[in-house]
Each structure stands twice: as structure tokens, then as C-alpha cells.
């Protein structure tokens, strides 16, 4: 099973692809989708959306894992983060991927055994669990890889994961939208 | 000039299409894109995105107007609102529409002459300015129509508007994204 972890952000959206075969986890790819600071917000969103669509089309992961509605410093940064998360979810649902979400504590606990682990500790364990010679080249991808690993661990035991959108939901749940009102 | 006002929201995304000919404003269409409460978040985003794409394709507005990064009650609602706003901006940028944003105070001032006007007053003035026999059938659309009117007024005087994404920006601003790192 190939799992895509996504860590949305306006400046950098991290992604990590992890294959699970039995208890063995392998890194398939990881990196960051970077936007230029000078780009207007809608163009950044388009860059993120199209890069994720391309990634999903190229690697055909079985599912996607994202952080559950996360904590933001303030309302303004929450709005900006929400925009990036919105186009990431849109890309996944358009590719028909089931989407799972995990709380930050769950991710840390799944990777390090400790829900309040520091970033360094998470990074170290991601490296060990994926048997990498070194820390992931792209630090942007650490959280995304941790998310993918968290899903692989949970997918065995089934505990702690929450389904945000299933394949069936994608097909069945489409709401009709009101016809235009032209007086 | 045909202007599309968008008022994004996860449950209802209001839209309003206003045509400006000289100083004359005409309602072309308005309504709300409604999602079902039981739909998972990604499906709601898809519904909003696809409905907006369809609207823009059918009516070919010259530009879109949205509220500037607005105020949300709390971080959680800001994240949810941000997701809806994200897919709305994505749809507009993919259709090559210049996007303008206005602060809530600017919208109220443009429509009623008073930046702290009540909702009722805004609704009344939208009805009068568009010479409607009655309040817009869809209350969902009032804010979207006010946004479109605000842009029409501003487009004459040119003051108060802020360009979020231009046609040129859409073409030129695309950032390359890092190649996948496969160790």
C-alpha cells in the first residue's frame, strides 16, 4: 500500500510517499511544493493544487493522510493555512483518494511513541523507520512522512484514524446546487 | 462589464452576478451553492469548486470580487472558511479571472455609504441599487451581490480596490516545484 502524507502550507506544502509491505516501510519519494513569495495567493493555491494532482497521477497512492484541523497561531494564519488545506483536499477527492486525518499528537505518538515529542525526535525516528542513511533531504517533508508512517501503523491496528472522505463518499455525496435565480 | 461576487462558506457559498453599463447596474443572476451537512469536508469543497467553475464557464464574468481576509469567530472556523475560500480562489484563477478583494467595511460603505451598516440596510440598498421588485430571493447571495456592486462602484473611481490576482499574474507567476527526492 502506498500512502501519501500531505502537510499543506502556503509557502511550502510538504509531501511524503511511503510504501507499506507487511511491517516494512519504504520511502518512495518526498519533497516540498514551494511557491514564490511574490506570487499572489490564488496563484500559490494553483501551484499547490496542480503539483499535488500531478503527484497523485504519477504515483497513484492508495490514500492520503493529512493533519486534522490543526492549531494556528491566530485567525489570519488559520485562514491562509485553511486555503492551502482546501486545495489539497480538493486534489485528493478529485483523484478519488480516501483521505484520513490524524491529530498532531497521534502522529508524534505513532512515530516516536510519545505524543509531545520534539520536532528533532520526530525527524530522527522518521529517518530510522524508513532506514534512510541520513535525515530526509527535504526537511519540508518530515511532517508529511510522519503522517504517512502514522497511517501505515494505524492501518494495521485500525485504531486512531478517522476517515475524512471515502471513495464511496466521493461518488455518492455530491450535493446538487441551487439553480441560478434570475428575476 | 459583468462582475461575479463570491461569498465563500462551507455550508453555503453565495454568488451574485452584476452587469455594469455606464452607471447602470443590472442583476444577471444570484444564488447559493449549498452543500449537504452530511457531506465530508472534501466533498463539500469539490461541490463549491465545480459549481463555481460551471458558473464562470456559463456566464464568463470579466472579474471576481471576494472579501479580503475576513474575520472569523475563532481559529477553527477560520480554517474551515479558509478551505472554502481557497477552492473559490482556485476556480477563479483557473478561469483566468482577475480577482479583487474588499474589506467588509469597504463593501458596506460602497453600498450604503456607511461602513458600519447593518445587514438589513445592506440588503435594502442592494435591492434598490439593482432595482429589484423585492429582496433577492436568495438571502445567501446578498453579501455576494454587495461585493459585486462594490467592485462596480470602485471600478469607476478606482479607489479602495486591491488586486489579488491579475490575468498577467496568472500566466506569469507559476512557480516551478521541486523535483521529487528519491534517495
Amino acid at each position: 500500500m502506498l500512502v501519501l502524507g500531505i502537510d499543506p502550507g502556503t509557502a511550502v506544502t510538504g509531501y511524503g510517499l511511503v510504501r507499506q509491505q507487511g511491517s516494512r516501510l519504504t520511502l518512495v519519494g518526498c519533497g516540498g511544493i514551494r511557491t514564490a513569495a511574490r506570487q499572489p495567493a490564488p496563484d500559490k493555491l494553483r501551484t499547490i493544487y496542480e503539483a499535488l494532482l500531478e503527484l497523485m497521477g504519477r504515483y497513484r497512492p492508495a490514500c492520503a493522510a493529512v493533519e486534522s484541523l490543526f492549531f494556528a497561531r491566530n485567525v489570519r494564519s488559520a485562514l491562509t493555512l485553511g486555503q492551502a488545506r482546501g486545495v489539497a483536499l480538493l486534489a485528493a477527492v478529485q483523484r478519488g483518494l480516501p483521505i484520513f486525518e490524524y491529530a498532531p499528537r497521534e502522529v508524534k505518538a505513532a512515530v516516536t511513541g510519545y505524543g509531545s515529542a520534539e520536532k528533532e525526535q520526530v525527524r530522527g525516528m522518521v529517518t530510522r523507520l524508513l532506514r534512510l542513511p541520513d535525515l530526509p533531504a527535504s526537511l519540508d517533508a518530515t511532517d508529511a512522512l510522519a503522517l504517512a508512517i502514522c497511517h501505515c501503523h494505524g492501518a494495521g491496528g485500525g485504531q486512531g484514524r478517522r476517515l475524512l472522505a471515502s471513495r464511496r463518499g466521493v461518488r455518492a455525496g455530491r450535493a446538487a446546487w441551487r439553480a441560478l435565480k434570475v428575476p
Side-chain angles (χ1 to χ4, degrees), chain A residues 70-81:
Chain A
F70 31 75
F71 305 94
R73 271 162 307 156
N74 53 52
V75 164
R76 202 184 166 84
S77 68
L79 284 166
T80 321
L81 265 172

Side-chain angles (χ1 to χ4, degrees), chain A residues 90-157:
Chain A
L90 178 68
V93 84
Q94 285 188 316
R95 288 287 190 205
L97 294 188
I99 306 165
F100 296 87
E101 63 172 13
Y102 298 91
R105 282 191 66 85
E106 281 181 288
V107 178
K108 287 176 182 169
V111 174
T112 70
Y114 177 50
S116 304
E118 298 291 331
K119 272 207 165 278
E120 270 310 313
Q121 203 180 339
V122 172
R123 203 177 297 159
M125 279 306 294
V126 165
T127 314
R128 270 181 67 183
L129 289 168
L130 297 176
R131 288 157 287 104
L132 303 179
D134 207 343
L135 298 177
S138 163
L139 294 182
D140 305 332
T142 309
D143 289 346
L145 287 170
L147 269 162
I149 292 170
C150 173
H151 181 72
C152 292
H153 285 183

Side-chain angles (χ1 to χ4, degrees), chain A residues 1-50:
Chain A
M1 178 180 68
L2 184 61
V3 179
L4 171 64
I6 310 174
D7 177 26
T10 310
V12 188
T13 290
Y15 64 88
L17 287 150
V18 174
R19 187 177 306 281
Q20 180 183 36
Q21 288 162 304
S23 64
R24 189 182 172 85
L25 300 181
T26 322
L27 174 64
V28 171
C30 69
I33 301 159
R34 297 186 156 269
T35 58
R38 61 181 165 70
Q39 272 189 304
D43 299 270
K44 290 181 182 173
L45 296 173
R46 185 181 191 170
T47 301
I48 296 165
Y49 169 75
E50 291 184 347

